[in-house]
């Protein structure tokens, strides 16, 4: 059922609780590919999730558990932020955010809220409320496509169940017209996607089901080649495990799309991002970065790292680990969530476990030592 909650004004503040940011420092426990370096970009952003750039190098950060959106300011525009401020609060799991045409858009489970950043005191307006209100897999990652439509996933309201649309899907929503288009279905819980820089095809992560064992089913990276395609859930997990609890509809027989990459079960891939900058060397040019958030119920933990799919110019891809060392035995040290390109060609990485944002960069001088 689609929730209809009307137009609401959400309480927010743009000035409260400013926190000074410490100067960046290296993240010594991280293990990196040769030549890369990782530094702490900003601390004190509780449960940091998706990030977006606003005006004047202001960095906005969504927070699922805190119910807040943070603004991180670099007032002297030297590439190093000075303060963290609560921009909006009292929201329903605002994990996903995106900026578009001078406004900030926040996904708060059943609503998309717009903040006009051009105004001195940005007003809040609900611009879409036709989304389910389920909390289970209700938090969202959002991104605008090149047509100005907002891409919004709607997760399954369960671990494994066979619910009708709009669940387990990804939609493109025209916010001006209030119209939506089904892009992909059979998607259990995607919390990250990006468009290929050349082909513009949508690539997205999908978290595999829980309670099916330590090593099944695989987590997924998928590519949308045809609008409306079905990616298997809940009938066919990861392209390798048929779920005997459900009967595959006749219309889907032989038509479900397998992943382009199967990741280890329970690594929980969230954000994905094509590297479009010029700073990283081959084979990282054009690679699809993957934030492996990490397992929560596996007998021994896996994930907690940054990996990538590197492409050889064809559809073939290779899986590589770029950042590791965020798991000390069975103790997490960080849980990466999302990426954001920095103007200097580096990549920002959010960590909802420590409430931090890191900057990953490449230094050829390090590589030569």
């Amino acid at each position: 059922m689609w929730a209809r909650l009307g137009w609401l004004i959400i309480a927010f503040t743009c000035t409260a609780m400013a926190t000074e940011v410490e100067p960046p420092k290296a993240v010594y426990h991280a293990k990196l590919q040769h030549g890369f370096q990782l530094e702490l970009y900003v601390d004190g952003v509780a449960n940091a999730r998706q990030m977006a750039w606003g005006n004047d190098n202001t960095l906005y950060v969504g927070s699922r558990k805190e119910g807040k959106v943070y603004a991180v300011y670099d007032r002297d525009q030297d590439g190093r932020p000075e303060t963290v401020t609560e921009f909006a609060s009292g929201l329903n799991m605002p994990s996903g955010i995106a900026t578009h045409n001078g406004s900030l858009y926040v996904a708060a489970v059943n609503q998309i809220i717009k903040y006009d950043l051009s105004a001195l005191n940005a007003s809040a307006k609900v611009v879409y409320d036709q989304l389910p209100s389920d909390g289970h897999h209700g938090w969202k990652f959002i991104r605008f496509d090149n047509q100005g439509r907002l891409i919004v996933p709607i997760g399954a309201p369960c671990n494994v169940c066979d619910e009708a649309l709009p669940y387990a899907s990804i939609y493109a929503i025209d916010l001006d017209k209030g119209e939506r288009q089904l892009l992909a279905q059979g998607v259990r819980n995607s919390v990250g996607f990006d468009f290929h820089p050349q082909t513009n095809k949508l690539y997205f992560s999908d978290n595999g089901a829980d309670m099916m064992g330590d090593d099944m089913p695989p987590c997924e990276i998928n590519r949308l080649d045809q609008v409306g395609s079905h990616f298997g859930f809940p009938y066919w997990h990861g392209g390798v495990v048929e779920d005997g609890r459900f009967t595959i509809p006749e219309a889907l027989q032989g038509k479900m799309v397998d992943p382009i990459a199967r990741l280890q079960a329970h690594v929980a891939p969230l954000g994905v991002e094509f590297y479009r900058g010029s700073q990283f060397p081959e084979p990282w040019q054009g690679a699809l970065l993957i934030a492996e958030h990490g397992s929560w119920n596996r007998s021994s933990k896996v994930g907690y790292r940054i990996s990538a799919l590197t492409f050889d110019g064809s559809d073939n891809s290779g899986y590589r680990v770029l950042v590791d060392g965020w798991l000390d035995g069975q103790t997490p040290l960080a849980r990466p969530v999302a990426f954001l390109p920095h103007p200097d060609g580096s990549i920002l990485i959010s960590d909802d476990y420590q409430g931090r944002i890191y900057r990953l960069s490449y230094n050829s001088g390090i590589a030569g030592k």
Side-chain angles (χ1 to χ4, degrees):
M1 179 178 295
W2 297 81
R4 298 175 181 269
L5 298 186
W7 296 79
L8 301 176
I9 299 299
I10 308 300
F12 70 97
T13 174
C14 293
T15 57
M17 297 184 65
T19 303
E20 295 297 320
V21 174
E22 294 183 2
K25 54 186 177 182
V27 181
Y28 293 107
H29 56 254
K31 299 177 182 178
L32 309 171
Q33 288 280 347
H34 196 54
F36 284 88
Q37 54 189 358
L38 192 73
E39 64 181 4
L40 178 60
Y41 186 68
V42 61
D43 203 350
V45 187
N47 199 237
R49 301 281 291 193
Q50 193 174 359
M51 304 167 286
W53 291 112
N55 302 328
D56 300 323
N57 292 331
T58 301
L59 176 66
Y60 293 94
V61 188
S63 171
R64 178 167 68 94
K65 292 181 180 179
E66 296 293 307
K68 298 175 182 179
V69 175
Y70 293 91
V72 180
Y73 293 104
D74 177 15
R75 300 189 188 280
D76 60 7
Q77 298 190 25
D78 66 349
R80 301 186 183 280
E82 301 94 23
T83 56
V84 176
T85 300
E86 289 182 12
F87 175 81
S89 60
L91 305 178
N92 187 8
M93 294 193 287
S95 179
I97 64 172
T99 49
H100 183 65
N101 291 339
S103 294
L104 175 69
Y105 293 81
V106 179
V109 181
N110 59 324
Q111 300 175 327
I112 304 297
I113 306 164
K114 176 183 177 180
Y115 297 86
D116 181 1
L117 299 179
S118 64
L120 181 61
N121 293 309
S123 60
K125 180 181 180 182
V126 175
V127 293
Y128 195 80
D129 65 355
Q130 308 296 300
L131 298 169
S133 57
D134 305 81
H136 197 128
H137 296 154
W139 55 93
K140 294 170 174 62
F141 179 100
I142 57 176
R143 189 189 292 264
F144 282 89
D145 68 7
N146 61 4
Q147 300 177 52
R149 302 179 302 174
L150 187 65
I151 310 304
V152 179
I154 301 175
C158 57
N159 177 31
V160 182
C161 56
D162 190 4
E163 293 288 331
L165 291 171
Y167 295 109
S169 64
I170 302 175
Y171 281 84
I173 302 175
D174 186 322
L175 295 176
D176 293 329
K177 298 179 180 178
E179 298 174 352
R180 64 181 182 268
Q181 179 187 23
L182 175 66
L183 297 182
Q185 54 188 317
V187 181
R188 178 179 177 270
N189 183 34
S190 179
V191 198
F193 44 84
D194 195 9
F195 293 93
H196 191 282
Q198 281 77 47
T199 67
N200 202 42
K201 290 184 177 181
L202 182 68
Y203 286 65
F204 59 92
S205 63
D206 194 9
N207 283 227
D210 297 313
M211 314 304 177
M212 296 179 69
D214 272 2
D215 301 311
M216 282 292 171
C219 289
E220 305 175 24
I221 302 297
N222 293 287
R223 182 183 64 226
L224 180 65
D225 291 323
Q226 183 175 348
V227 169
S229 293
H230 196 291
F231 289 84
F233 179 84
Y235 315 111
W236 189 240
H237 299 276
V240 293
V241 181
E242 184 174 352
D243 198 317
R245 294 169 291 182
F246 307 101
T247 300
I248 300 175
E250 185 175 348
L252 292 179
Q253 293 286 348
K255 296 182 179 179
M256 291 179 287
V257 180
D258 287 345
I260 64 164
R262 297 180 179 93
L263 308 184
Q264 185 176 4
H266 308 296
V267 297
L270 298 189
V272 297
E273 181 83 24
F274 282 103
Y275 181 72
R276 296 171 170 84
S278 58
Q279 186 183 112
F280 293 6
E282 294 290 350
W284 310 104
Q285 284 289 312
L288 183 69
L289 306 179
I290 305 167
E292 297 185 15
H293 193 234
S295 59
W296 67 273
N297 67 338
R298 195 176 184 274
S299 61
S300 58
K301 290 182 171 61
V302 291
Y304 303 91
R305 60 191 180 189
I306 303 299
S307 60
L309 295 183
T310 57
F311 301 92
D312 64 1
S314 67
D315 286 339
N316 298 321
S317 61
Y319 174 86
R320 298 168 183 254
V321 175
L322 180 54
V323 180
D324 209 345
W326 283 337
L327 191 59
D328 183 10
Q330 293 298 295
T331 302
L333 302 177
R335 300 194 76 182
V337 176
F339 303 100
L340 184 67
H342 192 280
D344 67 4
S346 63
I347 291 287
L348 300 184
I349 304 168
S350 60
D351 168 15
D352 66 351
Y353 185 73
Q354 298 284 3
R356 295 172 174 171
I357 296 170
Y358 309 106
R359 176 156 59 184
L360 177 67
S361 58
Y362 182 80
N363 186 327
S364 59
I366 293 177
K369 291 180 180 179

